[in-house]
Amino acid sequence: MNRRYRKTVIAGNWKMNMTATETKKFAEDIRKHLEARPKWCETLICVPACNISTAMKAFKDLRISVGAENVYFEEKGAYTGEVSADMLKDLGVKYVIIGHSERRQYFCETDSTVNKKVHAVLNAGMNPIICVGESLEQRETGITSEWIALQVKSALFGVPADKLRRCIIAYEPIWAIGTGKTATAEQAGEVCSEIRATIRALYGARVARSVTIQYGGSMNEKNAEELLAQPDIDGGLIGGAALVPEKFVAIINAANQE
Ligand code: PEP
């Protein structure tokens, strides 16, 4: 983390978990564990679209914002079942996850649709959390750096520097998501540094150092501190551990140290 130049952001990703009733219960439970409201890091939980309003009310006085897990890139129209950026913005959403590997894998999301969604979210005045990451096969073949650089460049294509400051990049090695296998702090730190180098080459050093880069992939209450100690890891995108109040609070506490 480097709080001098950029914000630390801890984001939960609930995926397709938690009903509205369970959301309210989670808020009650987390309230018991949060000793002080997070001060040094921004904290949010991205919830299923149907639970956004419930979560907004339930988390209101906890200083935990509510994010979305996905968005569609068109403004409005005949796209049955989709949710637009303006609809999310109107609910008070500030952050939207884009290009999660599960969306790429199960819902045909491509670098091109990711780029369109990034523009839609930025144009609506919200902040995209852009996920990139390599498969195990890609890592073992030795193409991680090139792969990630391409994903970052494609996602940011056409994004001007003043809007880039609102983007978060989440490095999520696919082999570490939901598997209990975490990248070592060195592996994660190395790729996050490379992501910053890619941004530096595109936008210059001043912009690059202001961008928050998260790590995601089985981050938990035990490994968070070590991962967050890496200079280019400015937070976490957390799946499984964000469903368990005490674990999520422990991660927030690791990021919230002065
Ligand atoms: C995620 O869903 O983005 C994620 C990192 O999940 P997990 O923490 O469960 O690996």
Side-chain angles (χ1 to χ4, degrees):
M1 291 186 288
N2 186 335
R3 289 218 190 85
R4 189 160 162 221
Y5 295 120
R6 46 195 177 256
K7 21 176 212 198
T8 304
V9 181
I10 295 295
N13 171 19
W14 274 359
K15 314 191 185 197
M16 198 173 74
N17 293 297
M18 298 278 194
T19 61
T21 308
E22 288 164 342
T23 301
K24 288 183 213 158
K25 167 89 172 58
F26 179 94
E28 283 163 27
D29 288 347
I30 206 163
R31 194 181 305 274
K32 290 179 207 146
H33 294 281
L34 265 184
E35 281 152 30
R37 292 190 293 172
K39 186 172 166 195
W40 298 100
C41 71
E42 198 157 329
T43 306
L44 64 132
I45 301 182
C46 299
V47 307
C50 58
N51 289 343
I52 289 173
S53 294
T54 303
M56 287 273 179
K57 280 189 210 126
F59 298 166
K60 205 172 161 200
D61 56 347
L62 294 173
R63 247 200 233 170
I64 296 178
S65 346
V66 178
E69 299 178 13
N70 185 32
V71 66
Y72 193 52
F73 50 79
E74 294 290 354
E75 271 178 37
K76 58 165 78 170
Y79 305 103
T80 303
E82 293 298 324
V83 172
S84 75
D86 279 349
M87 291 171 186
L88 296 177
K89 170 85 176 171
D90 194 52
L91 290 177
V93 167
K94 292 203 191 91
Y95 290 93
V96 185
I97 297 175
I98 294 178
H100 192 282
S101 62
E102 288 151 16
R103 297 232 36 106
R104 295 180 193 251
Q105 186 181 350
Y106 305 128
F107 302 99
C108 309
E109 202 126 299
T110 63
D111 284 343
S112 162
T113 57
V114 167
N115 178 248
K116 288 181 184 176
K117 290 181 177 196
V118 168
H119 282 284
V121 166
L122 288 170
N123 290 340
M126 297 182 292
N127 310 301
I129 299 177
I130 305 163
C131 300
V132 296
E134 81 287 4
S135 66
L136 189 57
E137 197 186 356
Q138 287 161 339
R139 176 160 280 267
E140 286 173 351
T141 317
I143 60 164
T144 299
S145 303
E146 291 90 333
W147 183 261
I148 302 291
L150 186 64
Q151 284 190 321
V152 171
K153 287 181 196 170
S154 309
L156 298 178
F157 187 73
V159 174
D162 60 324
K163 285 190 175 162
L164 183 75
R165 290 171 200 281
R166 286 199 274 123
C167 296
I168 292 178
I169 310 287
Y171 167 54
E172 298 213 302
I174 298 169
W175 48 272
I177 297 179
T179 58
K181 252 191 230 169
T182 321
T184 64
E186 290 71 29
Q187 282 173 325
E190 189 183 349
V191 178
C192 290
S193 299
E194 288 174 359
I195 291 172
R196 200 173 305 287
T198 300
I199 297 173
R200 194 180 303 121
L202 293 171
Y203 293 91
R206 217 155 58 96
V207 176
R209 76 179 180 203
S210 71
V211 175
T212 294
I213 301 177
Q214 296 174 319
Y215 167 78
S218 301
M219 189 186 259
N220 58 40
E221 70 289 4
K222 296 194 185 90
N223 58 29
E225 197 169 334
E226 197 188 352
L227 286 159
L228 294 168
Q230 292 289 315
D232 281 307
I233 299 183
D234 311 307
L237 183 55
I238 298 122
L243 294 165
V244 184
E246 51 271 49
K247 291 189 181 179
F248 193 54
V249 168
I251 297 171
I252 296 169
N253 289 342
N256 200 34
Q257 289 168 28
E258 236 176 290

